[in-house]
Amino acid sequence: MFERLLPHLRVNSVYDIQLDELYKKGVRGIITDLDNTLVGAHEPLATPQLTTWLEQVRDYGFKVVIVSNNNRTRVSKFADPLGIPFIHAARKPANKAFHKALSVLGLPVEQTVVLGDQMLTDVLGGKRMGLYTILVTPIAPADEGIMTRVNRRIERFVLSRLRKKGTWYEGETK
């Protein structure tokens, strides 16, 4: 039951993603979360390192869309200067925002991955749609809101159950 929360791949940050490998697998689109995936929840703009990484992503030929549960003001302030389309108030893990993101990208499920820091929103939502999911370690967990903190408690419970079953190990990269 909890296996639906397991990502296909787990990395420490977006910088650890092997873009060339994704491209070789036929991936052409990236649906990414914003807060604690690309930058900390209180970081209003992209860091220079992230801007460079996003340029590399585009140089490979990937299309990118941000799908965030956060409000329009927060997401647009971050995405607009980068020229990245976005979907705000997404209500992840609901399918609607993921369908909309695929439409924005103009790509099928098979050519798209989801990046995010939460199992209950990003991974579950992506897997329900049949998307390849990549879980990143949260950038600034201390800055998270109350609902995210609740989700983190649930994630810890799920991980403890999965460890007992031998499905997930600390430090394991899936």
Side-chain angles (χ1 to χ4, degrees):
M1 174 169 121
F2 293 138
E3 284 79 11
R4 291 189 79 181
L5 298 175
L6 287 177
H8 294 96
L9 177 67
R10 196 177 102 194
V11 295
N12 286 325
S13 77
V14 294
Y15 310 114
D16 296 325
I17 298 168
Q18 300 297 312
L19 296 174
D20 56 335
E21 292 299 318
L22 286 182
Y23 196 85
K24 286 177 192 172
K25 291 179 182 178
V27 173
R28 298 298 180 267
I30 297 173
I31 297 171
T32 184
D33 180 45
L34 173 55
D35 295 324
N36 277 330
T37 298
L38 298 179
V39 293
H42 293 302
E43 187 70 38
L45 302 172
T47 64
Q49 183 182 18
L50 180 63
T51 302
T52 300
W53 183 79
L54 288 167
E55 288 170 6
Q56 291 171 344
V57 166
R58 287 185 176 141
D59 289 346
Y60 266 100
F62 293 106
K63 296 178 184 179
V64 178
V65 62
I66 294 171
V67 175
S68 174
N69 286 345
N70 214 322
N71 63 55
R72 179 179 195 74
T73 302
R74 161 65 175 140
V75 184
S76 66
K77 185 174 183 177
F78 178 89
D80 287 346
L82 299 168
I84 298 175
F86 64 89
I87 298 162
H88 67 284
R91 298 178 162 256
K92 294 179 290 183
N95 289 350
K96 186 176 181 180
F98 290 100
H99 280 294
K100 190 172 179 181
L102 289 168
S103 178
V104 168
L105 294 172
L107 294 169
V109 167
E110 302 79 30
Q111 293 182 341
T112 309
V113 299
V114 175
L115 308 180
D117 67 301
Q118 291 188 59
M119 294 166 62
L120 291 172
T121 56
D122 307 306
V123 174
L124 179 60
K127 286 186 90 170
R128 288 175 61 209
M129 292 285 300
L131 293 156
Y132 186 87
T133 58
I134 302 173
L135 182 68
V136 302
T137 302
I139 294 170
D143 294 343
E144 295 176 333
I146 188 76
M147 287 310 300
T148 302
R149 290 180 194 176
V150 169
N151 283 352
R152 296 284 184 220
R153 291 186 97 138
I154 296 168
E155 286 178 3
R156 282 193 295 275
F157 172 78
V158 168
L159 288 174
S160 72
R161 296 289 183 211
L162 291 171
R163 282 187 197 103
K164 286 180 184 177
K165 287 177 60 178
T167 308
W168 184 276
Y169 301 98
E170 199 61 45
E172 176 182 3
T173 302
K174 291 235 166 230

